[in-house]
Amino acid sequence: MSIERIQIAPGFSISRIIKGGWQLSQGHSEGNKDHAIEDMFSFVDHGITTFDCADIYTGVEELIGKFLAERKRRLGSISDVQVLTKFVPDFDILSRITKSHVEKVIDRSLKRLGVEQLDMVQFSWWSYSIPKWMETAYWLKELQQAGKINLISGTNFNTQATRAMVESGVPIETLQVQYSLLDNRPEKELIALCKEKNIHLLCYGTVAGGFLSERWLGVAEPMPPYENRSMVKYKLMIQEFGGWELFQSLLHTLQQIANAHQVSLTNVATRYIIERDQVGGVIIGARDSKHVEENLKLFEFQLRPEDYKAIETIISKRKGPAGDVFDLERVKDGPHGTIMRYNLNQIEA
């Protein structure tokens, strides 16, 4: 089964499964770079040609750059690969950010990736109370006009901010947002705006850091301290959703559907999201290519009306999460905000 593709902009299409880069920045060492590069070849060979990364994912832009250089050396071209990076300025410099700083970070991404133009830059901003985000978006547009950026997109912007950028002339092609059976915040307002403005969603957290899997079915609720920040993040989302008991009911329902289709519980959870309006693709967090075949099953089945009914019977009992996309996470001293790392770019304004 081939990976579905979707056209994001004229002449630019992506695979609907996107290889995430965040995992490669965690504990990545010199010793496994060659293995990671060969994994990237395997992903592309299986049709997953689109890679997501960020300027703040330590070492990942450089690693993808090495892959692109090796692919060009072996095959003579990298035109079949799409790299979606991010521009995430540090919280501490937001109030004094300048165009020269923005250009410096973009130039660094160009150098790390070894390309003359960035395929896509997904703009992120920590706090709307610091008003230079719109000015910064314009600077990205100017760098696009200068040829350094092909497409401009957003990461974690809510409906109001997205509308403001688009209607001010910033060409937002996609939005990367958290979207899962546990987190339905895009459905409240954002998807309607995306339909209106022809913006596609690129979704992370679709399997809640692995919580939406057989591993957690029938398991007692884990208690802190947790293994990693990802587990903290998505355990909080389970609490927002309605707690461990409701979560277990959801897992049992997903397992029944998975058994009927002879796929995994994770496949069902992901399929539900990829079938939603305006969803262009889902970002998978696989560290390597061992589970590519499992991900390919996503396109071997479709959810039936009775599957939707069963799932929606459970999720109709949800309590949250409240608010628009990423609004909870923007509360810096709140439970979701306190686990964020706000200053990872390490370039002064």
Side-chain angles (χ1 to χ4, degrees):
M1 174 64 69
S2 61
I3 298 289
E4 291 179 2
R5 300 188 67 80
I6 190 167
Q7 182 170 285
I8 295 299
F12 189 85
S13 70
I14 62 171
S15 54
R16 296 197 72 198
I17 293 179
I18 300 165
K19 170 67 177 71
W22 182 78
Q23 284 76 10
L24 289 175
S25 68
Q26 304 301 301
H28 188 70
S29 65
E30 293 293 326
N32 63 7
K33 282 186 178 180
D34 290 342
H35 178 67
I37 289 170
E38 290 306 317
D39 277 327
M40 292 181 194
F41 275 94
S42 179
F43 276 102
V44 175
D45 290 344
H46 283 87
I48 301 174
T49 66
T50 308
F51 295 79
D52 177 75
C53 62
D55 50 10
I56 62 171
Y57 297 171
T58 306
V60 178
E61 284 183 326
E62 294 97 329
L63 186 61
I64 294 175
K66 291 179 184 296
F67 160 67
L68 294 176
E70 181 62 16
R71 190 166 185 83
K72 189 171 184 178
R73 186 189 71 79
R74 294 185 196 180
L75 303 177
S77 174
I78 56 172
S79 62
D80 59 341
V81 176
Q82 306 81 45
V83 180
L84 320 180
T85 194
K86 300 182 188 73
F87 171 63
V88 189
D90 287 350
F91 187 96
D92 288 352
I93 65 139
L94 297 184
S95 62
R96 52 193 173 87
I97 197 168
T98 63
K99 182 183 177 182
S100 63
H101 171 79
V102 176
E103 187 165 16
K104 184 187 297 184
V105 177
I106 295 302
D107 286 344
R108 185 182 65 179
S109 291
L110 287 165
K111 182 179 180 180
R112 286 172 169 178
L113 290 166
V115 296
E116 295 181 359
Q117 183 184 65
L118 299 175
D119 289 336
M120 179 186 288
V121 172
Q122 301 167 99
F123 173 39
S124 180
W125 191 263
W126 290 111
S127 175
Y128 301 134
S129 66
I130 303 172
K132 295 192 76 170
W133 58 274
M134 184 66 80
E135 192 173 5
T136 303
Y138 284 132
W139 290 332
L140 288 171
K141 182 180 177 181
E142 289 174 7
L143 292 172
Q144 181 187 45
Q145 292 167 341
K148 294 189 176 186
I149 299 169
N150 181 17
L151 301 177
I152 297 173
S153 294
T155 297
N156 291 328
F157 280 97
N158 67 14
T159 307
Q160 183 178 0
T162 301
R163 182 180 291 279
M165 284 192 292
V166 173
E167 294 186 350
S168 296
V170 179
I172 301 296
E173 304 293 348
T174 68
L175 281 172
Q176 186 172 144
V177 297
Q178 185 179 167
Y179 192 12
S180 73
L181 283 164
L182 301 177
D183 184 0
N184 69 332
R185 288 177 290 178
E187 297 173 4
K188 297 178 182 180
E189 296 183 73
L190 185 63
I191 287 176
L193 175 66
C194 290
K195 283 184 180 179
E196 177 188 337
K197 304 298 185 182
N198 193 30
I199 297 170
H200 288 94
L201 298 180
L202 308 181
C203 305
Y204 69 88
T206 302
V207 298
F211 272 114
L212 288 167
S213 68
E214 287 85 351
R215 175 188 172 188
W216 294 101
L217 179 62
V219 173
E221 181 175 5
M223 294 297 170
Y226 299 117
E227 295 174 13
N228 50 52
R229 283 195 306 133
S230 178
M231 193 171 177
V232 175
K233 173 185 177 70
Y234 292 110
K235 180 59 165 53
L236 281 171
M237 200 52 60
I238 291 170
Q239 291 173 294
E240 298 284 354
F241 173 69
W244 196 254
E245 185 176 346
L246 183 60
F247 172 64
Q248 284 296 313
S249 296
L250 176 61
L251 291 185
H252 279 286
T253 297
L254 295 177
Q255 186 64 69
Q256 290 172 352
I257 296 169
N259 291 341
H261 291 282
Q262 297 185 316
V263 296
S264 70
L265 187 161
T266 299
N267 286 149
V268 175
T270 307
R271 185 73 212 179
Y272 182 89
I273 296 301
I274 209 165
E275 289 185 4
R276 308 305 284 177
D277 288 346
Q278 296 305 122
V279 171
V282 293
I283 299 166
I284 63 168
R287 191 183 297 272
D288 55 44
S289 61
K290 294 176 183 176
H291 305 294
V292 170
E293 296 294 339
E294 179 65 25
N295 288 304
L296 293 178
K297 293 180 181 178
L298 183 62
F299 302 108
E300 295 180 359
F301 73 105
Q302 290 184 323
L303 296 177
R304 307 162 299 180
E306 57 265 39
D307 299 332
Y308 271 100
K309 183 177 180 180
I311 291 170
E312 287 163 7
T313 296
I314 300 298
I315 62 177
S316 67
K317 300 174 185 177
R318 73 187 323 137
K319 295 180 180 178
D324 205 335
V325 167
F326 211 70
D327 283 353
L328 288 171
E329 292 86 343
R330 288 187 195 282
V331 181
K332 201 173 181 184
D333 59 354
H336 297 268
T338 54
I339 64 171
M340 297 290 173
R341 293 179 178 172
Y342 293 91
N343 297 291
L344 293 174
N345 225 313
Q346 300 177 347
I347 288 187
E348 269 297 312

